[in-house]
Amino acid sequence: RRVLCAGMGGSGITGDMLARLLSVEVVPHRGYTIPSTVDAETLLLGISYSGGTEETLSAFRQGLERTERAMAVTSGGALAQLCRERGVPMIEIPKGLQPRAALGYLLFSLLPWFGRLGLCPHDLASVPGLMEEMVRRYTPYSRGNAAQSLAKALHRRVPLVYGAHGAMATAALRWKTQINENAKQPAFWAELPELCHNEIVGYELSEVLLPSACVVFLRSPQDHPRIQARVDILKEVLKRRGLSYVEAWAHGGTEIEELLSMVCLGDWVSVYMALMNRVDPTPVRPIEELKKRLGSWNNT
Ligand code: F6R
């Protein structure tokens, strides 16, 4: 009846994407303890690229007490070990990548599997071709491309990435986290229409407190007409307050194509931003240091 996806960071976003793409209730879960709704009718999905993330392991262990329907996706570590010990089915994906760069493995090992259960109503056949086309567009060999232009517009800015509730909001979360981890700088995200009920009030002092903010609207031609109206009004408000904005449009005609094309664009933008920030996009030392320190942390 429902899928609970326990996963953090670059692995956890897989749960948000599955929630957009599957025809069953999917609950992305980021925390140590699981909600009380997890029962024998819940499929517990543990997603951790490294297999060593303590929140995911804790939630997964707790979930195994409540349901026998469980599986994991990982490249190894303690999660793989736990699955072997408890006889839990597991999809093992190749080692050696940064978790956030393994999204293709994490998502596409699961989508066809759910497809066979009749729970993925999307035609996946067109997706690889679209991804190749996106990569051709945004590669450094394609000079002055949209990803480079957006990175230039966002250079030395704090991006506030906005998308409409649904696929574009999920893409906005991925943009934010990729800009954090690749470009090593602050970025925030919010979703429409919710942000019209709180975030916009904060613009009043933005000029003083966050003058370098730049709103990034992630747009889809499928956006609800009232969302389109809200974006047009927001642009006027931002202009009036002297705040800047840029826009990016999704490609493709289906929800899965739009989501993945927007994720692909954001990934490239974050890497170009890293190069402009003169930082190495790959390592994430603060995350590693925190995990290491927690490993030797005594709670008692
Ligand atoms: C690093 C990254 C992080 C990790 C997160 C959880 O590239 O994206 O956000 O994904 O620290 O680790 P894993 O994915 O190994 O469970």
Side-chain angles (χ1 to χ4, degrees), residues 179-195:
I179 294 171
N180 292 152
E181 292 184 59
N182 290 337
K184 275 81 183 162
Q185 65 158 76
F188 302 91
W189 76 289
E191 68 173 38
L192 285 147
E194 173 66 13
L195 69 89

Side-chain angles (χ1 to χ4, degrees), residues 8-11 47-51 53 98-100 181 284 287 291:
M8 306 297 297
S11 296
I47 309 182
S48 169
Y49 179 77
S50 63
T53 299
Q98 277 292 332
R100 62 192 188 281
E181 292 184 59
V284 280
I287 300 179
K291 286 182 179 177

Side-chain angles (χ1 to χ4, degrees), residues 37 40 49 69 148 153 175 179 192 196 216 227 229 237 259 263 289:
T37 48
Y49 179 77
R69 296 183 164 94
Q148 291 174 345
W175 273 58
I179 294 171
L192 285 147
C196 300
V216 186
I227 294 287
V237 173
L259 172 59
V263 163
E289 191 198 316

